[in-house]
Amino acid sequence: MTTPSAGTTAAPAVTTAAEDFFRAARPRRSIITVCVILATILQTLDATIANVALPRMQGALSATSDQIAWVLTSYLIASAIMTPSIGWLVGRFGRRRMFLWSMSGFTLASMLCGAAQTLDQMVIFRLTQGICGASLIPLGQSVILDMYEPHERAGAMAVWSVGIMLGPVIGPTLGALLTESYSWRYVFYVNLPLGILGLLGIWAFLPRSQTHRQAFDWTGFSALAIGIAGLQLVLDRGETKNWFSSTEILVEAAMSLAGFYVFAVHMWFAPKPLLNRVLFKDRNFVACLGMQFACGMVLNATSALLPPYFQGLGGYPVMLSGLAMAPRGLGTIIASPIVGRLVGRMDPRKMMALGLFTLAYSTWIMTRWTPDVTLTQQIPMAMLQGATISLVFVPLQMIAFSTLPPDLRTEGSGVIALQRNMGGSIGVAVMETELARHTQTAHQDLASFATPFNRALSQGGAQTWFNLRTLPGRAMLDGVITHQAQIIAYTDDFLLMTLLILPTGLLVFLMRRPAPLGR
């Protein structure tokens, strides 16, 4: 054994940024985890909590139905546009500073939204909310990955996934409760206590991270922002503008295609693009992006379709329709700790395949529903879908980051968040469009049987209720036909969701079995 000679010093060990952060955060990781989950719930909650309050906002802000939709659209567009730049922002300013800026800005913007007196004020404050909140999920995910040992990350990601999936599930329920009991303004004021708690925890306990200066890719960012904004406008306004028969939608679609094309070409050839090319050369990461997109489509579309199904067809009051969605969150909470323990002991690809099959099974069962479906039939399906969220997304996070370098985790988290949001937006737009189209088709088919020669309409009680010689009788018959046509349309949508999920399982075969996440 040799010893250093007198007058010499041993060379310091070289450590990575992830290792330095791990050592600094480990003594306080439990409270940091709680604060990160609070931040995650804040961001995901605001994507859905305002939906049920839109009718009340419309009256208070003197807006039309088209104008009030910008309350949702502005938040989604701002959040989606800012997400790809988070990797650069964290590298330039540090993770702790970005967390503090984002949390404080998001909380302040939430209070301003609640105090807004005009539609213009509301849209500006919602844009600010989306800009500030865009980084909360990617930052939270990268903190969790860097703060735990490789063998502990599955359980930590399972707990964090509860936060990311709980927000969209409880959003409509909590929004209905606050709107009915207090005012629509409280769907924004509710962010204040959560925001303050999370902000104080991050300020007191999250250690600083290393920063580095790097030129910002304005060309790539601008092209991607144009592509995302155009796509979001097409999805949000397409149905009201009759899609591609509208000049506005054609212009927005052309803008989106041009933006995405320029971004793709620029990213491939630029020396330092906005998004690192290594992300899209990783087979596991790309396959997980595809699965995230498909599952985001189905889960967000389900959340959007079920409340009007319960209210419009089932006759549920607003509060009860919101409560009918709550078991999904309960299923996620129950399943996540179990999945977190199992994902480190078995092949996570098998768990994802099981989750996809279970999700497809739950949407197939929903094709057999009618508006008379009972709560005892709804609750098991809702809980099963909640458990499916954990079965798919917890192992998906492990596989997606298992082969990525540690310094790309924040950037990769941003891309996954962007893919999830885009999948959700596209899923909701496609399913609502198909619902309207199938309703019209089914109405036309059913109405073809409503003639004076149909014995079912000319005998007994039917002759009394549906007297086709009178206007009230024809109107009542049209209402019954429309009701039945909507039931058929919802069934077709649930079947379409099933058919979308099943092929997604093929992506599992493209994934390599992950090794433990390195530091």
Side-chain angles (χ1 to χ4, degrees):
M1 183 175 67
T2 60
T3 58
S5 58
T8 64
T9 57
V14 178
T15 61
T16 65
E19 290 171 337
D20 291 339
F21 181 84
F22 171 77
R23 279 194 286 270
R26 186 171 178 80
R28 299 164 288 184
R29 65 179 184 177
S30 296
I31 193 167
I32 294 174
T33 301
V34 172
C35 296
V36 165
I37 291 174
L38 281 176
T40 302
I41 292 176
L42 268 180
Q43 205 276 344
T44 57
L45 187 66
D46 263 63
T48 58
I49 193 173
N51 294 25
V52 295
L54 284 183
R56 303 284 180 90
M57 291 185 207
Q58 183 177 344
L61 301 177
S62 302
T64 66
S65 57
D66 282 351
Q67 291 172 337
I68 201 65
W70 282 101
V71 174
L72 303 179
T73 303
S74 57
Y75 178 84
L76 295 174
I77 290 178
S79 180
I81 288 175
M82 285 302 298
T83 299
S85 64
I86 291 167
W88 181 87
L89 289 170
V90 170
R92 176 65 181 82
F93 299 105
R95 196 152 40 190
R96 181 175 183 272
R97 191 179 298 175
M98 277 299 300
F99 240 134
L100 292 175
W101 286 351
S102 298
M103 289 285 287
S104 56
F106 186 88
T107 305
L108 177 60
S110 298
M111 301 305 295
L112 291 174
C113 286
Q117 300 299 315
T118 67
L119 180 65
D120 291 340
Q121 292 177 0
M122 175 62 79
V123 172
I124 291 172
F125 298 148
R126 283 288 278 176
L127 281 168
T128 307
Q129 214 183 12
I131 291 171
C132 295
S135 63
L136 294 179
I137 290 179
L139 284 172
Q141 188 169 28
S142 63
V143 164
I144 294 294
L145 289 171
D146 283 354
M147 202 166 50
Y148 286 86
E149 293 275 11
H151 66 277
E152 299 172 320
R153 286 178 186 147
M157 292 301 297
V159 174
W160 178 78
S161 295
V162 171
I164 199 172
M165 296 302 167
L166 201 57
V169 172
I170 68 173
T173 305
L174 182 59
L177 178 64
L178 292 172
T179 302
E180 291 292 324
S181 303
Y182 301 99
S183 163
W184 64 265
R185 298 184 184 275
Y186 282 85
V187 303
F188 300 109
Y189 291 154
V190 73
N191 291 334
L192 181 62
L194 295 178
I196 291 176
L197 285 175
L199 184 63
L200 291 176
I202 295 297
W203 176 77
F205 299 105
L206 187 69
R208 300 179 185 274
S209 60
Q210 297 179 8
T211 61
H212 58 272
R213 291 184 177 273
Q214 181 179 334
F216 186 66
D217 181 16
W218 285 105
T219 302
F221 176 77
S222 301
L224 186 57
I226 291 172
I228 292 172
L231 176 62
Q232 193 67 55
L233 288 171
V234 169
L235 295 174
D236 288 342
R237 298 178 61 78
E239 187 175 356
T240 59
K241 298 293 182 180
N242 200 18
W243 292 102
F244 296 104
S245 61
S246 166
T247 302
E248 176 191 332
I249 299 301
L250 288 174
V251 170
E252 290 163 354
M255 179 178 74
S256 179
L257 288 174
F260 284 127
Y261 174 77
V262 171
F263 171 76
V265 173
H266 178 77
M267 185 183 69
W268 190 256
F269 292 104
K272 292 183 178 180
L274 178 67
L275 298 179
N276 198 312
R277 286 186 289 269
V278 174
L279 291 172
F280 303 98
K281 294 178 180 178
D282 188 294
R283 195 168 77 182
N284 277 11
F285 187 79
V286 172
C288 287
L289 286 181
M291 191 168 293
Q292 181 81 69
F293 183 85
C295 292
M297 285 184 67
V298 171
L299 291 172
N300 281 271
T302 305
S303 298
L305 291 180
L306 284 181
Y309 180 87
F310 292 142
Q311 293 176 43
L313 298 182
Y316 287 31
V318 174
M319 184 63 65
L320 186 57
S321 68
L323 292 174
M325 301 291 292
R328 286 181 72 183
L330 182 60
T332 302
I333 293 172
I334 293 174
S336 288
I338 301 172
V339 173
R341 289 181 175 274
L342 293 178
V343 74
R345 302 179 184 179
M346 61 182 294
D347 189 342
R349 296 173 299 179
K350 295 180 180 178
M351 297 187 68
M352 292 173 68
L354 175 61
L356 291 171
F357 174 80
T358 306
L359 180 58
Y361 173 75
S362 68
T363 54
W364 179 75
I365 288 294
M366 290 164 66
T367 64
R368 307 165 71 90
W369 281 6
T370 69
D372 297 326
V373 62
T374 63
L375 286 175
T376 56
Q377 294 172 304
Q378 295 172 23
I379 290 175
M381 282 300 102
M383 293 187 66
L384 184 63
Q385 284 192 351
T388 296
I389 292 172
S390 297
L391 277 172
V392 174
F393 286 106
V394 173
L396 184 146
Q397 304 294 336
M398 301 303 296
I399 292 176
F401 293 95
S402 63
T403 50
L404 282 183
D407 59 336
L408 291 180
R409 286 174 186 162
T410 301
E411 194 170 326
S413 299
V415 175
I416 285 183
L418 176 63
Q419 194 78 342
R420 179 174 54 250
N421 293 337
M422 290 179 64
S425 297
I426 292 174
V428 171
V430 169
M431 293 304 166
E432 288 186 345
T433 300
E434 288 299 298
L435 181 66
R437 188 174 68 86
H438 290 160
T439 299
Q440 293 174 355
T441 302
H443 187 283
Q444 183 178 359
D445 292 341
L446 293 174
S448 65
F449 296 98
T451 69
F453 305 102
N454 189 328
R455 293 184 179 180
L457 299 176
S458 60
Q459 294 179 358
Q463 187 178 18
T464 304
W465 288 102
F466 305 127
N467 188 346
L468 301 183
R469 297 185 181 89
T470 65
L471 183 60
R474 291 195 295 270
M476 185 173 294
L477 177 59
D478 182 69
V480 171
I481 292 175
T482 300
H483 184 82
Q484 297 299 318
Q486 288 177 335
I487 296 174
I488 295 172
Y490 273 103
T491 299
D492 290 342
D493 262 19
F494 295 143
L495 180 60
L496 180 57
M497 293 181 197
T498 304
L499 298 177
L500 281 173
I501 283 296
L502 288 175
T504 307
L506 298 175
L507 292 173
V508 173
F509 296 101
L510 297 178
M511 301 175 185
R512 299 185 182 94
R513 180 166 184 171
L517 284 169
R519 196 163 298 286

